[in-house]
Amino acid sequence: MANATPRVPISQLLTNKSGDEEPKKKSREDWRKAKELEEARKAGTAPAAVDEEGKDINPHIPQYISTAPWYYGSAGPTLRHQRPQEEKKTQYSSIDEWYKKGVDTSRVITKYRKGACENCGAMTHKKKDCMERPRKVGAKFSGAKIAHDEFIQPNIVSDYDGKRDRWSGYDPAQHREIVEEYQKVEEAKRALKAAKLKDNPDAELSADEEDEDKYVDEVDMPGTKVDSKQRITVRNLRIREDTAKYLRNLDPNSAYYDPKTRSMRDNPEPNKKPEDSEFAGENFVRFTGDTQKHSKAQLFAWEAYGKGVDVHILAEPTKLELLQNEYDKKKDQFKSQVKDTILDKYGGEEHLQVPPKALLLAQTEEYVEYSRSGKVIKGQEKQIVRSRYEEDVLINNHTAVWGSYWNLGQWGYKCCHSFIKNSYCLGESGKASQVLTIPTKIPVKSHPEDTEDKSTEQEESAKSSSSSSDSEEDDEEARKRQKAKKKSKKKRQKEKKKQRKQKEGEKDKLKEALLAEEKHNRQVSELMKLDERKRPYNSMYEVKKPSEEEMEAFMMKRRREEDPMLQFLDP
């Protein structure tokens, strides 16, 4: 609220005091009227208070802000004490003030002045700051060739806009010189044209001498719509149907959009085919059409210019294309010439005549469909890949190959049962002769203790048959041998039981390892489905040397990506 009653300082009251006059106090009626006036101003029914400058004072301003202090000496309602004071305002330089360049040539000094530069005689700097060449005899002692004084530069204080004014210090007289120069050129052109017409009035102007501004009005600048008749330029705005690049895919992990350059170089929808998507990224456009051809031409122009050929892709494109074609032609001729000379010298031309790559890599369009058991349902099965060794080569009248027959640990021919390699085939007679030569009893490898027992039995029978008189001694020896034989049998049985138990224990361990491997695979698959940030600490790491059973279980359960039946075998 603006206080309408003036607050007179105490010092002024003391000076103006005359007799017994005292400041009049407001009656209750005056306070009530002031309160009603304040309420009316706030409601808008009464006009607002006006300061000494004629500006309205907002009635809603608090009293502690609108009331001026007693020492301010205000005669009525005012807000000047809240505004920036004149003595505290920063005085900025005007727009015409700027630093002066050069020296002041208006004054010519012929005599050395005290305190001036001892080298050149200027008053605006000292000898150590002088930019002139040191004289043999300074101006202080010679008094000749006194240099002009530099301008005393003003202290320019610029405001925010003045510091950022790009035309500050610009002299418009400089542009007048450029205009005058162009006017002189135009006058010279007109004089030459008038002289040519005067010498040959019937001659027509060439294409180069025609008016350059003839078709300027018909040219439209990119991004604008110009009407040459009305001289109106309208900026073309983006149509509503044209979708912005950043709206193609709202996924934040998709292609990066640079808002400053409004460019999206990658494809925002990589799953779509380029022909199906409306926008495949700016890099896709850069590498389509003749862009690669243009880049190769630019590279060829740079290399040619570096080697001394004066050619430019923009100034002389036809010359550059002819040079590039000629260069490629000579390059191919040189390559073929080198190739022919090498073939003539070393030979080997027959190795260059190879079939196409489709035949070399065995790429065909044959479709083969298999069942779960691996049988062919549709199509023709692929031929068996042969090894680098000779196969199905029959020699010496044989009808089967070597290794087609096996008997008693030996390989032979199936057609004649012959165990001699590269022998002549005898047919059925050879089989009959082999049947006669086969021993009736097949020697079987036995335990060394069994051979000892058999030898002891043979010895016992021999001794019993040879000496019947010493039967008692032989009986005792036979008993001892039988006891030793029983002990050895028990030992062998115990060893067999141990081996059986070991095998059973290994089988149990293998089963446990298989179950643990399956459990581990399930845990790994579940952990791989989780997000990396949600996996438990050290969940994929276990410091432990695997046992033989665990390694065997891993080899049995490991996933073989090259298996063609993998998709049918997976649970």
Short mmCIF file of all heavy atoms in Angstrom, two decimals, residues 21-80:
data_model
loop_
_atom_site.label_atom_id
_atom_site.label_comp_id
_atom_site.label_asym_id
_atom_site.label_seq_id
_atom_site.Cartn_x
_atom_site.Cartn_y
_atom_site.Cartn_z
N GLU A 21 3.70 25.53 17.24
CA GLU A 21 3.03 24.66 16.25
C GLU A 21 3.59 23.25 16.38
O GLU A 21 4.81 23.05 16.41
CB GLU A 21 3.27 25.21 14.84
CG GLU A 21 2.56 26.52 14.57
CD GLU A 21 2.79 26.98 13.15
OE1 GLU A 21 3.46 26.20 12.41
OE2 GLU A 21 2.32 28.05 12.78
N GLU A 22 2.70 22.29 16.39
CA GLU A 22 3.08 20.87 16.45
C GLU A 22 2.41 20.16 15.27
O GLU A 22 1.42 20.63 14.73
CB GLU A 22 2.57 20.27 17.75
CG GLU A 22 3.26 20.84 18.98
CD GLU A 22 2.75 20.17 20.25
OE1 GLU A 22 1.86 19.30 20.12
OE2 GLU A 22 3.25 20.51 21.32
N PRO A 23 3.00 19.05 14.85
CA PRO A 23 2.38 18.30 13.74
C PRO A 23 1.01 17.79 14.14
O PRO A 23 0.80 17.28 15.24
CB PRO A 23 3.35 17.14 13.52
CG PRO A 23 4.15 17.04 14.75
CD PRO A 23 4.23 18.42 15.32
N LYS A 24 0.08 18.01 13.21
CA LYS A 24 -1.31 17.62 13.49
C LYS A 24 -1.45 16.11 13.46
O LYS A 24 -0.93 15.44 12.56
CB LYS A 24 -2.23 18.24 12.45
CG LYS A 24 -2.28 19.76 12.54
CD LYS A 24 -3.22 20.32 11.50
CE LYS A 24 -3.27 21.83 11.56
NZ LYS A 24 -4.20 22.39 10.55
N LYS A 25 -2.15 15.58 14.42
CA LYS A 25 -2.43 14.15 14.45
C LYS A 25 -3.70 13.85 13.68
O LYS A 25 -4.61 14.66 13.63
CB LYS A 25 -2.59 13.68 15.89
CG LYS A 25 -1.32 13.77 16.70
CD LYS A 25 -1.56 13.22 18.09
CE LYS A 25 -0.29 13.31 18.93
NZ LYS A 25 -0.51 12.77 20.28
N LYS A 26 -3.74 12.63 13.07
CA LYS A 26 -4.92 12.20 12.34
C LYS A 26 -6.01 11.83 13.31
O LYS A 26 -5.75 11.16 14.31
CB LYS A 26 -4.59 11.00 11.46
CG LYS A 26 -3.93 11.35 10.13
CD LYS A 26 -3.83 10.10 9.28
CE LYS A 26 -3.23 10.43 7.93
NZ LYS A 26 -3.16 9.24 7.07
N SER A 27 -7.19 12.27 12.97
CA SER A 27 -8.34 11.87 13.80
C SER A 27 -8.79 10.47 13.40
O SER A 27 -8.32 9.90 12.41
CB SER A 27 -9.48 12.88 13.60
OG SER A 27 -9.91 12.88 12.27
N ARG A 28 -9.70 9.94 14.14
CA ARG A 28 -10.21 8.60 13.85
C ARG A 28 -10.94 8.58 12.51
O ARG A 28 -10.89 7.59 11.77
CB ARG A 28 -11.15 8.18 14.98
CG ARG A 28 -11.66 6.77 14.84
CD ARG A 28 -12.39 6.33 16.07
NE ARG A 28 -11.48 6.23 17.23
CZ ARG A 28 -11.88 5.84 18.43
NH1 ARG A 28 -13.17 5.57 18.64
NH2 ARG A 28 -11.04 5.77 19.44
N GLU A 29 -11.59 9.70 12.19
CA GLU A 29 -12.30 9.79 10.91
C GLU A 29 -11.32 9.76 9.75
O GLU A 29 -11.57 9.12 8.72
CB GLU A 29 -13.14 11.08 10.90
CG GLU A 29 -14.07 11.20 9.70
CD GLU A 29 -15.19 10.19 9.73
OE1 GLU A 29 -15.49 9.65 10.82
OE2 GLU A 29 -15.77 9.91 8.66
N ASP A 30 -10.17 10.46 9.92
CA ASP A 30 -9.17 10.46 8.85
C ASP A 30 -8.58 9.05 8.65
O ASP A 30 -8.37 8.59 7.51
CB ASP A 30 -8.05 11.44 9.20
CG ASP A 30 -8.56 12.89 9.22
OD1 ASP A 30 -9.58 13.13 8.56
OD2 ASP A 30 -7.91 13.73 9.87
N TRP A 31 -8.32 8.33 9.73
CA TRP A 31 -7.81 6.95 9.59
C TRP A 31 -8.83 6.05 8.90
O TRP A 31 -8.47 5.20 8.06
CB TRP A 31 -7.49 6.39 10.99
CG TRP A 31 -6.18 6.87 11.57
CD1 TRP A 31 -6.01 7.74 12.57
CD2 TRP A 31 -4.88 6.48 11.12
NE1 TRP A 31 -4.68 7.96 12.83
CE2 TRP A 31 -3.95 7.18 11.94
CE3 TRP A 31 -4.40 5.63 10.13
CZ2 TRP A 31 -2.58 7.05 11.79
CZ3 TRP A 31 -3.03 5.49 9.99
CH2 TRP A 31 -2.14 6.19 10.80
N ARG A 32 -10.11 6.25 9.21
CA ARG A 32 -11.15 5.42 8.58
C ARG A 32 -11.24 5.71 7.09
O ARG A 32 -11.37 4.80 6.26
CB ARG A 32 -12.49 5.68 9.27
CG ARG A 32 -13.62 4.76 8.81
CD ARG A 32 -14.91 5.10 9.54
NE ARG A 32 -15.33 6.46 9.30
CZ ARG A 32 -15.95 6.86 8.15
NH1 ARG A 32 -16.22 5.99 7.20
NH2 ARG A 32 -16.31 8.14 8.01
N LYS A 33 -11.16 7.00 6.70
CA LYS A 33 -11.22 7.34 5.28
C LYS A 33 -10.01 6.79 4.51
O LYS A 33 -10.14 6.31 3.38
CB LYS A 33 -11.29 8.86 5.14
CG LYS A 33 -12.61 9.47 5.55
CD LYS A 33 -12.59 10.97 5.37
CE LYS A 33 -13.93 11.60 5.78
NZ LYS A 33 -13.92 13.08 5.63
N ALA A 34 -8.83 6.87 5.17
CA ALA A 34 -7.63 6.32 4.51
C ALA A 34 -7.77 4.81 4.32
O ALA A 34 -7.38 4.26 3.26
CB ALA A 34 -6.39 6.65 5.36
N LYS A 35 -8.37 4.15 5.30
CA LYS A 35 -8.54 2.70 5.18
C LYS A 35 -9.53 2.37 4.08
O LYS A 35 -9.32 1.42 3.29
CB LYS A 35 -9.04 2.17 6.53
CG LYS A 35 -9.01 0.67 6.67
CD LYS A 35 -7.60 0.14 6.76
CE LYS A 35 -7.60 -1.36 7.00
NZ LYS A 35 -6.22 -1.92 6.96
N GLU A 36 -10.63 3.13 4.01
CA GLU A 36 -11.63 2.88 2.94
C GLU A 36 -11.03 3.15 1.56
O GLU A 36 -11.30 2.41 0.60
CB GLU A 36 -12.85 3.77 3.19
CG GLU A 36 -13.68 3.36 4.38
CD GLU A 36 -14.84 4.31 4.62
OE1 GLU A 36 -14.93 5.31 3.85
OE2 GLU A 36 -15.65 4.05 5.53
N LEU A 37 -10.21 4.19 1.45
CA LEU A 37 -9.57 4.49 0.17
C LEU A 37 -8.61 3.37 -0.25
O LEU A 37 -8.56 2.98 -1.44
CB LEU A 37 -8.82 5.83 0.27
CG LEU A 37 -8.10 6.31 -1.00
CD1 LEU A 37 -9.10 6.50 -2.14
CD2 LEU A 37 -7.33 7.60 -0.74
N GLU A 38 -7.92 2.85 0.71
CA GLU A 38 -7.00 1.73 0.40
C GLU A 38 -7.76 0.50 -0.09
O GLU A 38 -7.36 -0.16 -1.06
CB GLU A 38 -6.19 1.40 1.66
CG GLU A 38 -5.19 0.28 1.46
CD GLU A 38 -4.50 -0.09 2.76
OE1 GLU A 38 -4.67 0.63 3.75
OE2 GLU A 38 -3.80 -1.12 2.75
N GLU A 39 -8.88 0.17 0.58
CA GLU A 39 -9.69 -0.98 0.17
C GLU A 39 -10.28 -0.75 -1.21
O GLU A 39 -10.36 -1.67 -2.03
CB GLU A 39 -10.80 -1.21 1.21
CG GLU A 39 -10.30 -1.63 2.59
CD GLU A 39 -9.63 -2.98 2.55
OE1 GLU A 39 -9.93 -3.79 1.65
OE2 GLU A 39 -8.77 -3.24 3.43
N ALA A 40 -10.74 0.49 -1.48
CA ALA A 40 -11.31 0.79 -2.80
C ALA A 40 -10.26 0.67 -3.90
O ALA A 40 -10.55 0.19 -5.01
CB ALA A 40 -11.91 2.19 -2.79
N ARG A 41 -9.01 1.11 -3.61
CA ARG A 41 -7.95 0.97 -4.61
C ARG A 41 -7.63 -0.50 -4.88
O ARG A 41 -7.39 -0.89 -6.02
CB ARG A 41 -6.71 1.71 -4.13
CG ARG A 41 -6.81 3.22 -4.28
CD ARG A 41 -5.62 3.92 -3.66
NE ARG A 41 -5.69 5.37 -3.87
CZ ARG A 41 -4.86 6.25 -3.30
NH1 ARG A 41 -3.90 5.81 -2.46
NH2 ARG A 41 -4.97 7.54 -3.54
N LYS A 42 -7.64 -1.29 -3.83
CA LYS A 42 -7.38 -2.72 -4.02
C LYS A 42 -8.49 -3.39 -4.79
O LYS A 42 -8.25 -4.30 -5.59
CB LYS A 42 -7.18 -3.41 -2.67
CG LYS A 42 -5.86 -3.07 -2.00
CD LYS A 42 -5.71 -3.85 -0.70
CE LYS A 42 -4.36 -3.53 -0.05
NZ LYS A 42 -4.19 -4.26 1.24
N ALA A 43 -9.74 -2.97 -4.55
CA ALA A 43 -10.88 -3.55 -5.27
C ALA A 43 -10.97 -3.04 -6.70
O ALA A 43 -11.68 -3.63 -7.52
CB ALA A 43 -12.16 -3.26 -4.51
N GLY A 44 -10.33 -1.92 -7.01
CA GLY A 44 -10.35 -1.37 -8.36
C GLY A 44 -11.43 -0.33 -8.58
O GLY A 44 -11.58 0.15 -9.72
N THR A 45 -12.17 0.04 -7.54
CA THR A 45 -13.23 1.03 -7.70
C THR A 45 -12.69 2.46 -7.64
O THR A 45 -13.33 3.39 -8.14
CB THR A 45 -14.29 0.84 -6.62
OG1 THR A 45 -13.65 0.89 -5.33
CG2 THR A 45 -14.98 -0.51 -6.77
N ALA A 46 -11.51 2.64 -7.03
CA ALA A 46 -10.90 3.98 -6.94
C ALA A 46 -9.60 3.96 -7.73
O ALA A 46 -8.93 2.92 -7.85
CB ALA A 46 -10.63 4.34 -5.48
N PRO A 47 -9.22 5.13 -8.29
CA PRO A 47 -7.97 5.16 -9.05
C PRO A 47 -6.77 4.95 -8.14
O PRO A 47 -6.76 5.30 -6.97
CB PRO A 47 -7.98 6.56 -9.67
CG PRO A 47 -8.86 7.36 -8.80
CD PRO A 47 -9.91 6.42 -8.28
N ALA A 48 -5.70 4.36 -8.71
CA ALA A 48 -4.49 4.08 -7.94
C ALA A 48 -3.73 5.36 -7.67
O ALA A 48 -3.92 6.39 -8.32
CB ALA A 48 -3.61 3.10 -8.71
N ALA A 49 -2.85 5.32 -6.68
CA ALA A 49 -2.02 6.47 -6.34
C ALA A 49 -0.99 6.70 -7.44
O ALA A 49 -0.53 5.75 -8.10
CB ALA A 49 -1.31 6.22 -5.01
N VAL A 50 -0.62 7.98 -7.64
CA VAL A 50 0.30 8.35 -8.71
C VAL A 50 1.54 8.96 -8.07
O VAL A 50 1.45 9.79 -7.15
CB VAL A 50 -0.36 9.37 -9.67
CG1 VAL A 50 0.60 9.74 -10.78
CG2 VAL A 50 -1.64 8.77 -10.25
N ASP A 51 2.74 8.54 -8.54
CA ASP A 51 3.98 9.10 -8.00
C ASP A 51 4.32 10.40 -8.70
O ASP A 51 3.55 10.90 -9.54
CB ASP A 51 5.11 8.08 -8.12
CG ASP A 51 5.37 7.69 -9.57
OD1 ASP A 51 4.69 8.21 -10.46
OD2 ASP A 51 6.26 6.85 -9.80
N GLU A 52 5.49 10.96 -8.40
CA GLU A 52 5.87 12.25 -8.96
C GLU A 52 6.16 12.21 -10.45
O GLU A 52 6.15 13.23 -11.12
CB GLU A 52 7.10 12.81 -8.22
CG GLU A 52 8.35 11.97 -8.35
CD GLU A 52 8.44 10.88 -7.30
OE1 GLU A 52 7.44 10.70 -6.57
OE2 GLU A 52 9.47 10.22 -7.21
N GLU A 53 6.39 11.00 -11.01
CA GLU A 53 6.65 10.86 -12.44
C GLU A 53 5.37 10.59 -13.23
O GLU A 53 5.43 10.42 -14.45
CB GLU A 53 7.65 9.75 -12.68
CG GLU A 53 9.02 10.05 -12.09
CD GLU A 53 9.99 8.90 -12.31
OE1 GLU A 53 9.55 7.88 -12.92
OE2 GLU A 53 11.16 9.00 -11.90
N GLY A 54 4.23 10.50 -12.55
CA GLY A 54 2.98 10.25 -13.23
C GLY A 54 2.67 8.78 -13.44
O GLY A 54 1.75 8.44 -14.20
N LYS A 55 3.39 7.88 -12.77
CA LYS A 55 3.18 6.44 -12.92
C LYS A 55 2.28 5.95 -11.80
O LYS A 55 2.39 6.42 -10.66
CB LYS A 55 4.51 5.69 -12.88
CG LYS A 55 5.44 6.02 -14.04
CD LYS A 55 6.74 5.25 -13.91
CE LYS A 55 7.69 5.57 -15.04
NZ LYS A 55 8.98 4.86 -14.92
N ASP A 56 1.38 5.02 -12.14
CA ASP A 56 0.49 4.44 -11.14
C ASP A 56 1.27 3.50 -10.23
O ASP A 56 2.18 2.79 -10.67
CB ASP A 56 -0.65 3.68 -11.81
CG ASP A 56 -1.60 4.62 -12.55
OD1 ASP A 56 -1.56 5.83 -12.25
OD2 ASP A 56 -2.35 4.14 -13.43
N ILE A 57 0.87 3.49 -8.96
CA ILE A 57 1.49 2.60 -7.97
C ILE A 57 0.51 1.48 -7.68
O ILE A 57 -0.67 1.72 -7.39
CB ILE A 57 1.82 3.37 -6.68
CG1 ILE A 57 2.84 4.47 -6.99
CG2 ILE A 57 2.37 2.43 -5.62
CD1 ILE A 57 3.15 5.35 -5.80
N ASN A 58 0.98 0.28 -7.75
CA ASN A 58 0.16 -0.90 -7.50
C ASN A 58 -0.32 -0.88 -6.05
O ASN A 58 0.49 -0.85 -5.12
CB ASN A 58 0.97 -2.16 -7.78
CG ASN A 58 0.10 -3.40 -7.80
OD1 ASN A 58 -1.07 -3.36 -7.41
ND2 ASN A 58 0.68 -4.49 -8.25
N PRO A 59 -1.64 -0.89 -5.80
CA PRO A 59 -2.13 -0.83 -4.41
C PRO A 59 -1.85 -2.10 -3.62
O PRO A 59 -1.96 -2.09 -2.39
CB PRO A 59 -3.64 -0.60 -4.58
CG PRO A 59 -3.97 -1.12 -5.91
CD PRO A 59 -2.76 -0.89 -6.77
N HIS A 60 -1.50 -3.19 -4.28
CA HIS A 60 -1.25 -4.46 -3.59
C HIS A 60 0.18 -4.57 -3.10
O HIS A 60 0.55 -5.60 -2.50
CB HIS A 60 -1.57 -5.63 -4.51
CG HIS A 60 -3.01 -5.68 -4.94
ND1 HIS A 60 -4.02 -6.12 -4.11
CD2 HIS A 60 -3.61 -5.30 -6.10
CE1 HIS A 60 -5.18 -6.04 -4.75
NE2 HIS A 60 -4.96 -5.55 -5.97
N ILE A 61 1.03 -3.56 -3.38
CA ILE A 61 2.40 -3.60 -2.88
C ILE A 61 2.38 -3.44 -1.37
O ILE A 61 1.68 -2.57 -0.84
CB ILE A 61 3.24 -2.47 -3.54
CG1 ILE A 61 3.38 -2.73 -5.04
CG2 ILE A 61 4.62 -2.38 -2.92
CD1 ILE A 61 4.09 -1.64 -5.79
N PRO A 62 3.14 -4.26 -0.64
CA PRO A 62 3.11 -4.14 0.84
C PRO A 62 3.60 -2.77 1.31
O PRO A 62 4.35 -2.08 0.61
CB PRO A 62 4.05 -5.26 1.30
CG PRO A 62 4.15 -6.19 0.14
CD PRO A 62 3.96 -5.39 -1.09
N GLN A 63 3.19 -2.44 2.49
CA GLN A 63 3.49 -1.10 3.03
C GLN A 63 4.98 -0.93 3.31
O GLN A 63 5.55 0.14 3.11
CB GLN A 63 2.70 -0.87 4.32
CG GLN A 63 2.82 0.55 4.89
CD GLN A 63 1.95 0.74 6.09
OE1 GLN A 63 1.29 -0.19 6.52
NE2 GLN A 63 1.96 1.94 6.66
N TYR A 64 5.65 -2.01 3.75
CA TYR A 64 7.07 -1.87 4.06
C TYR A 64 7.92 -1.68 2.81
O TYR A 64 9.08 -1.29 2.90
CB TYR A 64 7.55 -3.09 4.86
CG TYR A 64 7.61 -4.38 4.06
CD1 TYR A 64 8.78 -4.74 3.39
CD2 TYR A 64 6.53 -5.24 3.99
CE1 TYR A 64 8.84 -5.92 2.67
CE2 TYR A 64 6.57 -6.39 3.28
CZ TYR A 64 7.74 -6.76 2.61
OH TYR A 64 7.79 -7.91 1.90
N ILE A 65 7.34 -1.93 1.62
CA ILE A 65 8.05 -1.68 0.37
C ILE A 65 7.68 -0.31 -0.18
O ILE A 65 8.54 0.45 -0.65
CB ILE A 65 7.72 -2.79 -0.66
CG1 ILE A 65 8.33 -4.12 -0.21
CG2 ILE A 65 8.25 -2.42 -2.04
CD1 ILE A 65 8.01 -5.28 -1.11
N SER A 66 6.40 0.04 -0.13
CA SER A 66 5.95 1.29 -0.73
C SER A 66 6.30 2.52 0.12
O SER A 66 6.47 3.62 -0.39
CB SER A 66 4.44 1.25 -0.96
OG SER A 66 3.78 1.09 0.29
N THR A 67 6.46 2.37 1.44
CA THR A 67 6.75 3.51 2.31
C THR A 67 8.23 3.88 2.20
O THR A 67 9.10 3.02 2.42
CB THR A 67 6.40 3.18 3.76
OG1 THR A 67 5.03 2.79 3.82
CG2 THR A 67 6.63 4.38 4.66
N ALA A 68 8.51 5.11 1.87
CA ALA A 68 9.89 5.56 1.77
C ALA A 68 10.44 5.86 3.14
O ALA A 68 9.71 6.28 4.06
CB ALA A 68 9.97 6.82 0.89
N PRO A 69 11.74 5.64 3.37
CA PRO A 69 12.33 5.95 4.69
C PRO A 69 12.29 7.46 4.97
O PRO A 69 12.19 8.28 4.06
CB PRO A 69 13.76 5.42 4.57
CG PRO A 69 14.02 5.33 3.11
CD PRO A 69 12.73 5.06 2.44
N TRP A 70 12.38 7.81 6.27
CA TRP A 70 12.22 9.23 6.67
C TRP A 70 13.33 10.12 6.14
O TRP A 70 13.14 11.29 5.87
CB TRP A 70 12.13 9.33 8.19
CG TRP A 70 13.38 8.83 8.90
CD1 TRP A 70 13.60 7.59 9.33
CD2 TRP A 70 14.52 9.62 9.22
NE1 TRP A 70 14.83 7.49 9.90
CE2 TRP A 70 15.43 8.74 9.86
CE3 TRP A 70 14.89 10.95 9.05
CZ2 TRP A 70 16.67 9.16 10.32
CZ3 TRP A 70 16.11 11.37 9.51
CH2 TRP A 70 17.01 10.48 10.15
N TYR A 71 14.56 9.50 5.95
CA TYR A 71 15.68 10.32 5.50
C TYR A 71 15.68 10.52 3.99
O TYR A 71 16.53 11.24 3.47
CB TYR A 71 17.00 9.68 5.93
CG TYR A 71 17.16 8.21 5.51
CD1 TYR A 71 17.57 7.88 4.22
CD2 TYR A 71 16.88 7.19 6.41
CE1 TYR A 71 17.70 6.55 3.86
CE2 TYR A 71 16.99 5.87 6.05
CZ TYR A 71 17.42 5.54 4.76
OH TYR A 71 17.53 4.25 4.38
N TYR A 72 14.72 9.87 3.27
CA TYR A 72 14.70 10.04 1.81
C TYR A 72 14.11 11.39 1.42
O TYR A 72 14.43 11.94 0.38
CB TYR A 72 13.89 8.90 1.19
CG TYR A 72 14.08 8.77 -0.30
CD1 TYR A 72 15.26 8.26 -0.83
CD2 TYR A 72 13.08 9.18 -1.18
CE1 TYR A 72 15.44 8.16 -2.19
CE2 TYR A 72 13.26 9.07 -2.54
CZ TYR A 72 14.44 8.56 -3.05
OH TYR A 72 14.62 8.47 -4.40
N GLY A 73 13.23 11.95 2.27
CA GLY A 73 12.65 13.27 2.02
C GLY A 73 11.65 13.30 0.89
O GLY A 73 11.62 14.23 0.10
N SER A 74 10.78 12.30 0.82
CA SER A 74 9.77 12.27 -0.24
C SER A 74 8.57 13.12 0.18
O SER A 74 8.13 13.08 1.33
CB SER A 74 9.33 10.84 -0.50
OG SER A 74 8.77 10.28 0.66
N ALA A 75 8.02 13.87 -0.79
CA ALA A 75 6.88 14.75 -0.49
C ALA A 75 5.55 14.08 -0.72
O ALA A 75 4.51 14.63 -0.39
CB ALA A 75 6.97 16.01 -1.35
N GLY A 76 5.50 12.89 -1.30
CA GLY A 76 4.24 12.20 -1.58
C GLY A 76 4.49 10.73 -1.85
O GLY A 76 5.58 10.21 -1.61
N PRO A 77 3.49 10.01 -2.31
CA PRO A 77 3.68 8.58 -2.61
C PRO A 77 4.69 8.39 -3.74
O PRO A 77 4.61 9.05 -4.78
CB PRO A 77 2.28 8.11 -3.00
CG PRO A 77 1.57 9.33 -3.41
CD PRO A 77 2.13 10.47 -2.61
N THR A 78 5.64 7.49 -3.53
CA THR A 78 6.69 7.26 -4.53
C THR A 78 7.27 5.86 -4.36
O THR A 78 7.15 5.25 -3.28
CB THR A 78 7.81 8.30 -4.38
OG1 THR A 78 8.78 8.05 -5.39
CG2 THR A 78 8.47 8.21 -3.02
N LEU A 79 7.87 5.37 -5.45
CA LEU A 79 8.61 4.09 -5.42
C LEU A 79 10.03 4.28 -5.96
O LEU A 79 10.69 3.33 -6.34
CB LEU A 79 7.89 3.02 -6.27
CG LEU A 79 6.59 2.47 -5.69
CD1 LEU A 79 5.95 1.51 -6.69
CD2 LEU A 79 6.85 1.73 -4.38
N ARG A 80 10.48 5.53 -5.99
CA ARG A 80 11.81 5.80 -6.55
C ARG A 80 12.90 5.17 -5.69
O ARG A 80 13.97 4.81 -6.19
CB ARG A 80 12.01 7.31 -6.65
CG ARG A 80 13.31 7.67 -7.34
CD ARG A 80 13.48 9.17 -7.44
NE ARG A 80 12.49 9.75 -8.33
CZ ARG A 80 12.39 11.06 -8.57
NH1 ARG A 80 13.22 11.91 -7.94
NH2 ARG A 80 11.48 11.54 -9.39
#
